[in-house]
Amino acid sequence: DTGVSQNPRHKITKRGQNVTFRCDPISEHNRLYWYRQTLGQGPEFLTYFQNEAQLEKSRLLSDRFSAERPKGSFSTLEIQRTEQGDSAMYLCASSLQRRIKGGEQYFGPGTRLTVT
Amino acid sequence: GDSVTQMEGPVTLSEEAFLTINCTYTATGYPSLFWYVQYPGEGLQLLLKATKADDKGSNKGFEATYRKETTSFHLEKGSVQVSDSAVYFCALSEGSASKIIFGSGTRLSIRP
């Protein structure tokens, strides 16, 4: 399977703990996006990378959140001092840079985080 | 800022019924418009897209036309199947690199 993969698929943690998620994009894609989806809502943009550079961050990304893409391949999203409000599905997507509108983003299956 | 508003669900139809899911958008520029679908237990998949006014996107019997004058991108299918049961998201993006802004999703259930 050469799609976007995410690990773990599920994570249960206690409030105050740190968690880290990993995303492996489609291999030739140079753009990588993180989104958060809460129950009954559409995904909300968090941040995106072009190669290893983080080019945009949403105001949803508080200082407890940090994302990296050290070699322009896989990415990690870390949440420090988790809160119950962080419980959500975290989605990763990747795309190939094109100078055209409407480039498709390919989504992974997501990591479901539950903070107890 | 940019936003997408779509018909609230759930929507329940009988097999072979006609489907419309309404979607309107607000954008400062000339966005690309998308419909994504999330089947039970699966990730988001692009269903169809349109990048300029009057374009029609189509796939798997679904269609949507980019209407700039009404800022709409309604999803239609002439005859739904049980396998179309899923959550449908209307979405937009601006430019070639941008994040996607999603609506809140419409859950569709098709009964045999």
Side-chain angles (χ1 to χ4, degrees):
Chain A
D1 185 13
T2 56
V4 178
S5 62
Q6 293 186 245
N7 287 289
R9 295 291 304 275
H10 303 273
K11 178 71 177 178
I12 300 173
T13 191
K14 293 186 177 179
R15 187 163 50 96
Q17 298 294 303
N18 298 346
V19 294
T20 300
F21 311 138
R22 175 176 170 131
C23 171
D24 288 88
I26 294 171
S27 58
E28 64 268 26
H29 286 183
N30 58 348
R31 291 201 172 128
L32 187 148
Y33 303 78
W34 285 99
Y35 293 83
R36 181 173 69 186
Q37 185 178 17
T38 54
L39 202 60
Q41 299 299 315
E44 294 174 293
F45 170 77
L46 294 178
T47 188
Y48 102 89
F49 293 83
Q50 180 161 309
N51 300 312
E52 64 275 10
Q54 188 173 17
L55 296 187
E56 187 176 351
K57 292 196 288 187
S58 161
R59 65 179 187 275
L60 293 176
L61 212 66
S62 76
D63 55 6
R64 296 185 297 106
F65 289 69
S66 62
E68 294 182 343
R69 194 181 183 200
K71 296 182 180 178
S73 57
F74 73 92
S75 175
T76 58
L77 178 67
E78 181 183 18
I79 309 174
Q80 296 183 326
R81 306 182 303 281
T82 52
E83 301 173 356
Q84 287 187 321
D86 297 331
S87 296
M89 178 77 86
Y90 289 84
L91 298 172
C92 177
S94 70
S95 71
L96 187 61
Q97 179 182 3
R98 289 200 176 102
R99 294 183 183 275
I100 57 173
K101 289 178 63 181
E104 181 174 354
Q105 292 182 21
Y106 295 80
F107 283 80
T111 295
R112 182 170 296 284
L113 173 66
T114 302
V115 181
T116 61
Chain B
D2 294 359
S3 66
V4 175
T5 302
Q6 65 181 102
M7 183 171 158
E8 287 192 17
V11 173
T12 302
L13 296 172
S14 297
E15 203 165 22
E16 299 183 3
F18 184 84
L19 168 72
T20 301
I21 301 178
N22 290 335
C23 171
T24 57
Y25 68 90
T26 303
T28 51
Y30 299 92
S32 297
L33 302 175
F34 307 88
W35 278 98
Y36 275 81
V37 59
Q38 193 167 36
Y39 296 104
E42 299 185 17
L44 274 169
Q45 302 173 24
L46 179 66
L47 179 61
L48 54 84
K49 70 178 184 182
T51 58
K52 62 183 189 296
D54 301 324
D55 267 4
K56 178 185 284 188
S58 61
N59 187 24
K60 299 183 180 179
F62 291 89
E63 293 183 340
T65 301
Y66 191 143
R67 300 287 188 203
K68 188 169 181 295
E69 64 276 13
T70 54
T71 61
S72 65
F73 194 55
H74 305 318
L75 183 68
E76 297 183 336
K77 186 174 185 182
S79 176
V80 293
Q81 306 300 313
V82 172
S83 57
D84 294 327
S85 298
V87 182
Y88 292 80
F89 294 92
C90 186
L92 68 80
S93 72
E94 301 236 42
S96 63
S98 271
K99 60 184 178 272
I100 296 176
I101 295 169
F102 288 88
S104 57
T106 302
R107 182 175 297 278
L108 174 66
S109 296
I110 307 299
R111 49 175 186 252

